[in-house]
Amino acid sequence: MDRYVHSALGPRDRDRLPPGPLLGRALDYVAREEWRAARAVLDRAAEDPAERRRAQYLLWEVCQVLGEPDPAARALRAALREDPVTTRFSPAPRRRILALAAPGDFQANLPLGALLEAPEIELHTLWLTDPATVLRDPAAAFAGPPPAFDCVFIAIAEDPRHHQALAAADRLAAALDVPVINSGAGIAALSRQGVAERLRGLADAVVPPQALLDRAALEAGPALDWPVIIRPEHSHAGQGLARLDGPAALAAYLRRTEAARCHLAPFVDYRSADGHWRKYRIILVDGEPWPCHLAVHDDWTIWYYNARMELAPGSGPRKPASSATSRRPSRPRRAAPCRASPRASASTTAASTAACCPTGGWCCSRSRPA
């Protein structure tokens, strides 16, 4: 269950505040991944004032698993109306972190609850539900006295819809007078087009140009160097991603998507000599590259949860062995582009998605806050 539920309903919080009968039943259904049954019970639990806020928060997650984004958004907004702070408690905290988040789906924010699982870390998440008000008065971000925290982590992902929230996060972080991890302005620069432009000309790296075209331009038949890859604006994790080999494929794609705008980029064949596609995630912390994880697939449509690496003995998705012992990729030629890539952002931390080309350099496709 904690694969989905990290910040408000994990085991340590259930021990601190045990759920009532309805919420307890819903959690049992979630643990068995019986999502429809969980949804039905949560709808009832949300009517109980004692259970309402936690039930609405869990509804946000369950509805996303069920592919119901609008009910998920309504449930989260309802949960946050009572208090914009959600907390994962620690019985003996050594670190207290305040994460700044934007209301949205699973892709809207860095999942700090999943990444900072150590029991001595207490994680508070402040959801910026009204960034315009926070820009005018940072103290208005909290409904009551703020929790105790040692640092602020801006966890909001780049998205044009988040730019006001990112500006509000910077304004609030500056007012709180504690150490801050990440920069909202730096994150805002991490668009697909922005990263491609900033990294253009990077030595030993292939950085495919990115274009964002509206539907009218796509339907007019733009001049493209085929093949290309296409995805709807705002999509991640392969949602709506496709390879197009010519105008007929583009026309067919537009018939099956309602997206108003789409990202396009050249298709790059970065297969290794064994015919497999390898996708790396490298974390950059103050400009230093740290290997994070690797996905391997026999198909180019690869992202970390579809790689089926459990079928390959000794595979993952996993942290490469070098991540425990090294700050950098093992070959100097491959390390240089990693060190140069922080110029794409002023963020304290960033995650770069890349592939190792057969020529020995990197094919850089995306950077996001980390």
Side-chain angles (χ1 to χ4, degrees), residues 96-100 149-154 169 172-183 348:
R96 297 178 176 90
I97 299 172
L98 178 68
L100 303 184
F149 53 87
D150 310 310
C151 71
V152 168
F153 196 121
I154 299 177
L172 175 60
L176 292 174
D177 196 28
V178 295
V180 179
I181 301 171
N182 279 339
S183 153
T348 308

Side-chain angles (χ1 to χ4, degrees), residues 7-309:
S7 52
L9 293 165
R12 60 178 98 166
D13 300 292
R14 296 199 302 275
D15 293 342
R16 181 177 178 273
L17 184 62
L22 284 176
L23 189 55
R25 282 176 56 196
L27 290 168
D28 288 340
Y29 284 130
V30 168
R32 298 195 298 268
E33 300 190 5
E34 297 179 20
W35 305 113
R36 288 292 175 192
R39 166 79 193 274
V41 175
L42 286 169
D43 283 336
R44 294 170 55 196
E47 298 174 0
D48 181 351
E51 300 275 37
R52 180 171 55 223
R53 186 166 185 265
R54 293 198 294 170
Q56 289 166 335
Y57 191 87
L58 185 54
L59 263 172
W60 168 64
E61 298 186 311
V62 168
C63 287
Q64 288 184 79
V65 175
L66 290 171
E68 300 175 358
D70 292 338
R74 288 195 296 271
L76 180 62
R77 291 281 182 182
L80 298 179
R81 271 197 293 271
E82 297 185 27
D83 188 346
V85 176
T86 55
T87 295
R88 190 193 64 193
F89 293 96
S90 169
R94 293 181 56 195
R95 296 181 183 88
R96 297 178 176 90
I97 299 172
L98 178 68
L100 303 184
D105 60 16
F106 288 139
Q107 299 284 344
N109 304 282
L110 186 71
L112 285 186
L115 298 175
L116 303 177
E117 295 182 314
E120 67 270 16
I121 295 177
E122 185 160 281
L123 178 63
H124 307 284
T125 300
L126 171 60
W127 300 81
L128 300 179
T129 57
D130 186 358
T133 297
V134 175
L135 282 167
R136 292 192 299 270
D137 177 14
F142 298 95
F149 53 87
D150 310 310
C151 71
V152 168
F153 196 121
I154 299 177
I156 303 168
E158 186 283 323
D159 188 301
R161 298 168 296 185
H162 294 167
H163 285 188
Q164 189 178 47
L166 288 165
D170 277 346
R171 176 93 165 86
L172 175 60
L176 292 174
D177 196 28
V178 295
V180 179
I181 301 171
N182 279 339
S183 153
I187 292 169
L190 292 176
S191 67
R192 295 184 188 276
Q193 291 74 29
V195 170
E197 181 62 27
R198 287 166 180 259
L199 295 185
R200 187 176 59 178
L202 191 64
D204 290 321
V206 175
V207 185
Q210 303 278 337
L212 181 61
L213 300 182
D214 62 27
R215 194 172 189 91
L218 292 167
E219 290 174 343
L224 298 172
D225 187 9
W226 310 98
V228 299
I229 58 172
I230 189 170
R231 74 181 80 214
E233 186 182 19
H234 310 306
S235 78
H236 297 284
Q239 295 178 348
L241 178 64
R243 168 180 162 158
L244 306 178
D245 293 316
L250 173 58
Y253 181 88
L254 293 174
R255 285 195 294 271
R256 62 178 184 266
T257 183
E258 297 178 356
R261 300 200 297 178
C262 291
H263 295 280
L264 288 96
F267 177 83
V268 178
D269 188 340
Y270 58 87
R271 274 174 292 184
S272 301
D274 63 1
H276 284 82
W277 306 77
R278 287 172 170 81
K279 181 176 176 181
Y280 298 82
R281 181 66 49 83
I282 299 166
I283 304 297
L284 301 158
V285 181
D286 286 336
E288 282 295 315
W290 293 75
C292 180
H293 51 215
L294 162 68
V296 183
H297 206 310
D298 58 6
D299 189 355
W300 74 271
T301 53
I302 177 173
W303 46 95
Y304 292 100
Y305 62 77
N306 83 330
R308 301 178 307 194
M309 291 179 64

